[in-house]
Every structure is written in C-alpha cells, then in structure tokens.
Amino acid sequence: MKIGWKRAAGLVLAVIVCAALAVFIFFATGAAQRIMRRAVIHAIADRTGARVEIERFQFSPWKLRAEIDGLTLHGLEPADAQPLFHADRIVVDIRILSFIHHKISLQELLIDRPELAISIDKQGHSNLPPRKPRSKGKPWQE
C-alpha cells in the first residue's frame, strides 16, 4: 500500500503540531516547574548532604533563567538554631554552548542576602553535613 507524499507530509506536520502542543501544555500547566523544582532540590541535597527547602522556584525555558526564592540548607544544627545557609533570592542565567557536547555556560549568578551560619561546639562538632564520597574521575562541577 502506497502513501502519497502529500498525505505523508500532512502526517508529519500533524505529529509536529501535536508535539509542540504537548510541550506547550507541559510548561503552561506548571508540570515542568514542579518536576524541575524536585530535581533542583534533589541535586542540591545530593551534592551538599544538607536538607533543602525552597519557597518558590521558577524556570523560564525561553530565557534559560532559573529563579529561586527562599533557598535554605539545613545542616546538623538544632531545630531552633539558624540554618546552615539561607538566601532570599537566587537568579541563574545560563547560555547553551553546544547541544551535541552538552556544554553550558553560567551567564549570570545573583544571590540576594546570603547568610551562612557555621557553628562549632567545644567538642569540635560542627553543623556542616557529613561529606559524601564523590565518584572517581568526575570533576566537582558534575
């Protein structure tokens, strides 16, 4: 059975339109924001060993900009103590250098009112979370 080129082109166009619509709905409904927020929290917690809280997360795929409001990292401090780290707002702008090689560049990093509270008691214990061993051969940026 032969399919005419006009029918095949129409089918390809319909698939492209449906894919574009699905991507638009994915971002418009906020599903992408929720998934990315969880991924950011998990990545920060995994790399620092701290418990992470984010009040608000917003990512703009068109501007390649992430905005985080109320980022708090909790180390080993007691519940009534000041957290290990807190920033009122963090803005990260990136630029894609290569899709093929997965290279990006940090365009701009803004941190509003960062607060770092490291405490060490008389026995030498601090509120810093324990260091996790890194995979061998990978740079710290990864």
Side-chain angles (χ1 to χ4, degrees):
M1 177 160 109
K2 284 186 170 181
I3 298 177
W5 69 270
K6 288 182 182 180
R7 188 172 192 159
L11 219 82
V12 168
L13 182 64
V15 167
I16 291 171
V17 168
C18 286
L21 186 61
V23 168
F24 175 77
I25 290 171
F26 182 64
F27 280 98
T29 60
Q33 298 289 337
R34 289 188 297 275
I35 291 169
M36 291 182 76
R37 175 190 164 105
R38 282 192 297 264
V40 166
I41 289 173
H42 177 72
I44 294 171
D46 189 46
R47 284 165 181 76
T48 64
R51 186 171 54 87
V52 181
E53 295 176 1
I54 292 178
E55 289 176 14
R56 187 181 74 83
F57 175 81
Q58 184 175 359
F59 179 72
S60 172
W62 318 121
K63 295 179 183 177
L64 296 177
R65 169 178 235 167
E67 298 178 18
I68 300 172
D69 291 338
L71 174 66
T72 304
L73 302 180
H74 294 280
L76 302 176
E77 71 273 352
D80 59 340
Q82 190 176 7
L84 176 63
F85 177 81
H86 177 80
D88 287 346
R89 181 175 174 85
I90 298 176
V91 178
V92 179
D93 287 327
I94 61 171
R95 181 175 50 145
I96 297 175
L97 299 176
S98 170
F99 281 110
I100 297 169
H101 300 339
H102 303 281
K103 291 186 178 181
I104 62 170
S105 172
L106 180 63
Q107 189 76 15
E108 185 174 26
L109 173 64
L110 301 172
I111 304 174
D112 290 342
R113 295 184 46 179
E115 298 174 6
L116 182 65
I118 298 175
S119 61
I120 301 173
D121 63 14
K122 292 178 183 177
Q123 290 80 26
H125 299 106
S126 72
N127 63 335
L128 296 173
R131 291 181 58 171
K132 291 184 175 183
R134 288 193 319 212
S135 344
K136 293 181 181 180
K138 288 189 174 184
W140 66 269
Q141 296 95 333
E142 290 185 25

